[in-house]
């Protein structure tokens, strides 16, 4: 079995290619969708986010303000969030595969 990863920046066609693959019957697992689901439904992920970023981070808008921006502080916060969410996303995808 081959596993193919589709990567790229905003507007590079990842969703278009994913839709084409789905139309052909290929399973497609979106890391963005999985991360959103985990942030909304996984109590362990939610708890870790609140532990690292504080109670306000339970609100997606507040968390987004902490991690999206061009400062070093944003970069550090984004890296901390990725350290929480990326391993769980990978685990979910491996279970799906």
């Amino acid at each position: 079995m081959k596993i193919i990863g589709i990567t790229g920046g905003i507007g590079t066609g990842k969703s278009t290619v994913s839709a084409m693959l789905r139309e052909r019957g290929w399973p497609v697992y979106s890391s963005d969708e999985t991360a959103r689901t985990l942030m909304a439904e996984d109590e362990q992920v939610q708890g870790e986010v609140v532990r690292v970023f504080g109670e306000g981070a339970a609100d997606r808008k507040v968390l987004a303000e902490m991690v999206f921006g061009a400062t070093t502080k944003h970069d550090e916060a984004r890296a901390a969030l990725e350290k929480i969410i990326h391993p769980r996303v990978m685990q979910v995808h491996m279970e799906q595969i």
Side-chain angles (χ1 to χ4, degrees):
M1 169 177 37
K2 289 184 181 181
I3 299 172
I4 300 168
I6 301 171
T7 65
I10 295 170
T12 58
K14 299 179 302 288
S15 296
T16 301
V17 171
S18 295
M20 292 167 68
L21 293 172
R22 282 188 182 102
E23 287 174 8
R24 288 165 175 76
W26 289 44
V28 175
Y29 308 108
S30 167
S31 294
D32 288 344
E33 290 172 19
T34 301
R36 275 191 294 276
T37 299
L38 289 169
M39 291 293 292
E41 299 175 7
D42 188 303
E43 291 179 7
Q44 185 176 0
V45 168
Q46 293 168 344
E48 186 66 8
V49 168
V50 167
R51 185 188 72 73
V52 171
F53 294 97
E55 288 293 327
D59 180 326
R60 283 186 71 198
K61 283 187 174 185
V62 172
L63 182 61
E65 289 174 4
M66 292 179 188
V67 301
F68 296 121
T71 68
T72 301
K73 187 173 180 177
H74 288 108
D75 292 343
E76 291 168 354
R78 189 168 43 257
L81 179 61
E82 290 171 352
K83 189 174 179 181
I84 295 167
I85 196 73
H86 285 184
R88 277 292 291 136
V89 169
M90 182 60 78
Q91 179 183 3
V92 168
H93 286 290
M94 294 310 293
E95 290 168 2
Q96 291 170 323
I97 293 167

